[in-house]
Amino acid sequence: MLLDHFNTFADYQPVGLLLDFPMLRPEPLVQAPQRSRTGGFLPETLVETDRGFIQARDVKPGDMVYTFDGGCQEVEVVRHAVPRVTTLMHVPAGALGNDCDLELPADQMVALELDAVERLFGLPLVLVNLISLAGHKGIKALSPERLGRIHIECAEEELTWAESGMLMQAGTGGPDGAFKELSLSETRQILASEEGRALALTGLALENARYPDLLKELLATPKAAA
């Protein structure tokens, strides 16, 4: 009854079993689009190096840049971002230590040095978003333009000297950054008053507040005529 076939007793896979367990095809992974990095230097912004002030476009890995509290630090990475629409801010000469009028990205993080900052936070300076300073010392918004940016990074987050006297952030900060960053509301309150109206946001005790001296006021009030 058995025919002489070479595959008579060969192993086989029932068709029904394949239908019960279909082959699964892994779905392709969809990577989320990368968000555009904020901050960065415009190509013509002057950065202080050991060779003097040079434009950000001429900074190369291995160059030494001067920083706020780290001395002269080596540049490890220079990233050139694709040009995109950028809201600009006009910074008049002297507003932030710069010696000439500047146009900078609105999301550039810059250092703010005020007496209120040291009194409230015990720090010589804090970082603020440049757009938060609109109206301060003539700083104002300009029309957006399509511009490229240059991100200069050292081994750690640094504040680099730029445009002769202002400090700009180099690297990535955030809540865990090396320097304290203020929110929009904190920045506006500090600018609104040097007398400490931002204390409610810092949680510090109102140590330097001036309360009225009721006794002095009572003694200074003329007595009513009998």
Side-chain angles (χ1 to χ4, degrees):
M1 296 176 61
L2 298 178
L3 299 178
D4 188 12
H5 293 295
F6 69 94
N7 60 352
T8 301
F9 299 99
D11 294 333
Y12 67 93
Q13 184 72 34
V15 177
L17 186 61
L18 294 178
L19 296 177
D20 293 337
F21 298 96
M23 297 181 61
L24 298 179
R25 297 182 179 179
E27 297 182 359
L29 297 178
V30 179
Q31 295 182 353
Q34 294 183 352
R35 297 178 57 185
S36 301
R37 299 185 61 182
T38 59
F41 297 82
L42 295 183
E44 64 274 11
T45 303
L46 295 178
V47 180
E48 186 176 12
T49 70
D50 58 351
R51 297 182 285 124
F53 280 94
I54 63 175
Q55 292 186 339
R57 69 182 60 168
D58 297 325
V59 177
K60 302 292 187 297
D63 288 348
M64 305 296 292
V65 295
Y66 283 100
T67 64
F68 170 67
D69 58 356
C72 204
Q73 293 291 323
E74 181 180 356
V75 175
E76 292 192 351
V77 179
V78 177
R79 306 181 191 275
H80 293 258
V82 177
R84 57 187 172 90
V85 176
T86 301
T87 301
L88 298 177
M89 301 293 292
H90 173 74
V91 183
L96 296 174
N98 48 305
D99 61 350
C100 62
D101 292 355
L102 294 177
E103 293 183 2
L104 297 174
D107 55 8
Q108 172 70 55
M109 300 299 292
V110 297
L112 183 64
E113 301 178 76
L114 292 175
D115 293 338
V117 170
E118 187 170 2
R119 182 172 67 252
L120 299 177
F121 302 103
L123 300 171
L125 54 81
V126 290
L127 287 180
V128 299
N129 207 307
L130 184 56
I131 197 172
S132 302
L133 300 179
H136 174 63
K137 294 186 177 181
I139 299 175
K140 61 182 180 181
L142 299 175
S143 300
E145 296 183 23
R146 184 174 295 277
L147 299 170
R149 306 192 197 191
I150 299 174
H151 298 273
I152 300 174
E153 300 178 8
C154 300
E156 299 178 353
E157 178 192 1
E158 300 288 353
L159 294 181
T160 58
W161 291 101
E163 298 293 343
S164 297
M166 68 183 300
L167 288 166
M168 298 185 185
Q169 184 187 45
T172 304
D176 299 327
F179 303 93
K180 181 173 181 59
E181 298 182 8
L182 297 189
S183 65
L184 172 62
S185 58
E186 290 174 322
T187 304
R188 300 309 297 180
Q189 286 201 28
I190 285 183
L191 296 179
S193 174
E194 291 278 348
E195 296 301 321
R197 272 192 268 164
L199 283 174
L201 296 175
T202 64
L204 298 179
L206 198 60
E207 298 176 350
N208 297 327
R210 299 178 180 178
Y211 292 98
D213 192 327
L214 299 180
L215 178 60
K216 289 183 179 181
E217 291 184 2
L218 180 62
L219 295 176
T221 303
K223 295 182 180 180

